Amino acid sequence: MVFKNALISVIILSTIVKFIAVFTFFDDSNINYWEYGIIAKNLINGKGYSLHYHIENKLTIDFDKASAPYPSAYMPPAYVYYLLPYMLINDTKTRNIVFLIIQVLISNFAVYLIFILTKMIFDDKIALISSTIYAFLPEFIYSNLIVGTTLFYHILILLFFILTIHKAKSETKNAILIAILIAIIIYLRAEFLFFAIILIIYFITKKKFGKSLIIVSILLILIIPWQYRNYRVFDTFVPFTTSSGLNFYRGHNPYEPGIWADEKIADSLNKLVGYKDFEVKMNQLYFDEAFRAISENPLFEIKNSIIKLFHLWIFNPNDSRSYHSFYFIPWSIFLLLSIYGLIKTWDTKNFAVFYIFILYHSLLAILFFALPRYQTMMKISILPFMAYSISSLYDIIKARKKTGD
């Protein structure tokens, strides 16, 4: 009861802090809804699931109500359809305020879930520490309030961890729920398919053939509608998105991780303007350029892989947000605490899914590239171990103080 009341207090205080942040630091008259919002607006305006492209020295995407957009699979559909109701609110300021208020309320569910997950693997005290960190750390508060998939990704990943480590009475039911959850996450973040593949391989190595078959079968059933839609639109097979080529190029180019394009690519993209399947051709162009860069300088790729891991686990010097004291200083401390917690609690039987998730994000950084928000997305998996370290260090200091007395 004590910890339950403490959790309620954490959620209430966190809500107050977030509302203060909303009305102090956020410009409710100017919120960028990115490509998700543009697609949602086009759906509302009867232009279908589409995007507007402008090409100068690099590729840019913007909303242009007057022009004809291109059919799109640039972003997976889950978050687009989440934003759709907001786009129906014509007054921009009202829409933004409603969005921010709902984000604050939804973020409370994430605070609750991290408590439940940490309690399952450790205890109430560590769970309270974990939920308190998530509730008040500036980085998480910021990610909870901005437009983007991070908050929902955190919630879904927490649910996934809870489902996976829960001792289910029915393995079949558990496998079905896991498969449905993975499919939802793929519709939110298409690259999560790679995690699903790694997880299934892991289950197969553990001889969980039935569970693997159920997950694969349900996943195929659930993702086919999006693939069918893409085939009907583009007359070719588009597994998930048409932005994978761009993201692959940003991680494998002749310059440095994160680069969008060069003059050669911009010229090539200009030649593709007007094609109905512009996105498909653009996607292939980026893949071709990335593979050319890899083949011409493979040693540079090795160096870049190390750099991208550094960007994921330490900080990205090319992104100004990485230098913010509210971001870098806490992470410097929590990284050490996370490493300590992971080592002290190492258990491949009970925590394998956490290790797989960490491995997945590291491989993803190597395969593509790493921005600060990708680090934030990954941190949800190590938060319980941070909390374990804080609890352990507190107990050590308390014991030494008691001995000294």
Side-chain angles (χ1 to χ4, degrees):
M1 182 61 71
V2 173
F3 287 103
K4 181 181 178 182
N5 291 337
L7 176 62
I8 292 171
S9 298
V10 166
I11 290 175
I12 291 172
L13 287 172
S14 175
T15 302
I16 294 171
V17 169
K18 287 170 185 173
F19 275 127
I20 291 172
V22 163
F23 294 107
T24 304
F25 301 108
F26 284 79
D27 182 2
D28 54 30
S29 63
N30 183 28
I31 291 180
N32 195 333
Y33 290 86
W34 307 107
E35 295 88 349
Y36 303 105
I38 296 171
I39 296 172
K41 285 181 182 179
N42 283 334
L43 284 168
I44 292 169
N45 290 330
K47 296 186 177 183
Y49 202 95
S50 58
L51 276 173
H52 307 260
Y53 289 93
H54 307 282
I55 303 156
E56 294 175 0
N57 60 335
K58 71 172 186 176
L59 180 73
T60 57
I61 301 169
D62 200 359
F63 181 70
D64 185 352
K65 193 172 182 179
S67 69
Y70 291 94
S72 181
Y74 189 80
M75 308 302 291
Y79 197 70
V80 169
Y81 283 96
Y82 167 73
L83 289 182
L84 202 60
Y86 296 107
M87 296 300 115
L88 292 171
I89 302 174
N90 291 324
D91 182 70
T92 302
K93 191 177 182 68
T94 302
R95 175 202 303 153
N96 294 343
I97 291 174
V98 170
F99 172 82
L100 289 168
I101 290 172
I102 292 176
Q103 287 289 113
V104 170
L105 298 177
I106 292 174
S107 70
N108 290 334
F109 187 48
V111 175
Y112 171 75
L113 286 177
I114 192 66
F115 180 90
I116 296 300
L117 173 64
T118 310
K119 181 180 177 180
M120 288 175 67
I121 60 179
F122 294 123
D123 59 34
D124 287 297
K125 183 176 73 171
I126 298 173
L128 184 61
I129 295 171
S130 184
S131 59
T132 302
I133 294 171
Y134 189 86
F136 294 107
L137 191 69
E139 175 187 347
F140 288 127
I141 290 177
Y142 177 75
S143 68
N144 286 173
L145 298 178
I146 61 171
V147 174
T149 59
T150 303
L151 174 58
F152 289 93
Y153 186 75
H154 282 170
I155 289 172
L156 293 169
I157 291 301
L158 289 170
L159 287 171
F160 171 79
F161 284 145
I162 290 169
L163 266 179
T164 307
I165 66 177
H166 174 64
K167 305 298 181 184
K169 293 180 180 179
S170 170
E171 273 289 304
T172 300
K173 182 180 178 181
N174 185 258
I176 292 171
L177 291 174
I178 288 173
I180 293 171
L181 199 52
I182 289 174
I184 294 171
I185 300 173
I186 289 173
Y187 275 110
L188 186 76
R189 304 284 311 181
E191 68 273 13
F192 200 70
L193 174 67
F194 296 117
F195 176 84
I197 293 170
I198 297 171
L199 183 70
I200 290 164
I201 292 172
Y202 169 75
F203 284 150
I204 291 173
T205 62
K206 294 298 178 180
K207 298 183 179 179
K208 296 183 178 181
F209 302 115
K211 191 170 190 175
S212 301
L213 182 60
I214 291 170
I215 293 174
V216 170
S217 301
I218 293 176
L219 270 180
L220 288 174
I221 292 169
L222 293 177
I223 64 178
I224 280 176
W226 178 244
Q227 294 174 341
Y228 175 72
R229 175 266 175 190
N230 290 341
Y231 185 81
R232 287 290 303 271
V233 169
F234 298 108
D235 295 322
T236 188
F237 178 63
V238 178
F240 293 100
T241 71
T242 50
S243 58
S244 54
L246 170 59
N247 289 327
F248 190 67
Y249 175 83
R250 293 187 70 187
H252 305 272
N253 57 72
Y255 313 108
E256 62 180 19
I259 294 295
W260 283 80
D262 55 19
E263 290 184 6
K264 177 185 176 183
I265 289 178
D267 290 341
S268 298
L269 287 172
N270 272 311
K271 295 175 183 176
L272 301 179
V273 172
Y275 286 94
K276 177 187 174 183
D277 59 346
F278 170 81
E279 283 195 356
V280 174
K281 295 181 184 299
M282 173 190 71
N283 197 45
Q284 190 57 54
L285 170 65
Y286 272 114
F287 269 123
D288 291 342
E289 290 299 320
F291 284 121
R292 180 178 291 109
I294 293 171
S295 63
E296 290 178 354
N297 198 346
L299 292 179
F300 186 65
E301 282 299 308
I302 297 172
K303 174 188 172 184
N304 263 5
S305 295
I306 297 171
I307 289 172
K308 287 184 284 186
L309 284 174
F310 181 85
H311 289 175
L312 176 69
W313 282 99
I314 310 299
F315 83 110
N316 187 338
N318 300 323
D319 195 308
S320 59
R321 292 169 295 184
S322 297
Y323 292 92
H324 200 293
S325 56
F326 281 159
Y327 175 86
F328 182 69
I329 294 174
W331 175 233
S332 301
I333 298 169
F334 286 136
L335 176 60
L336 296 174
L337 291 172
S338 301
I339 294 171
Y340 175 82
L342 286 165
I343 292 172
K344 290 291 289 185
T345 63
W346 189 264
D347 185 344
T348 54
K349 180 181 179 182
N350 293 314
F351 297 150
V353 68
F354 290 91
Y355 307 147
I356 292 171
F357 185 81
I358 293 169
L359 173 65
Y360 154 71
H361 266 277
S362 297
L363 292 175
L364 207 62
I366 295 172
L367 184 61
F368 296 106
F369 61 105
L371 295 174
R373 72 171 179 269
Y374 300 160
Q375 186 188 95
T376 303
M377 293 166 72
M378 177 270 296
K379 284 177 187 174
I380 199 67
S381 65
I382 58 177
L383 193 50
F385 302 98
M386 291 185 200
Y388 170 86
S389 294
I390 293 171
S391 177
S392 297
L393 291 173
Y394 173 78
D395 290 341
I396 291 170
I397 293 169
K398 187 178 178 181
R400 287 182 178 177
K401 187 177 180 181
K402 190 174 181 181
T403 303
D405 292 340

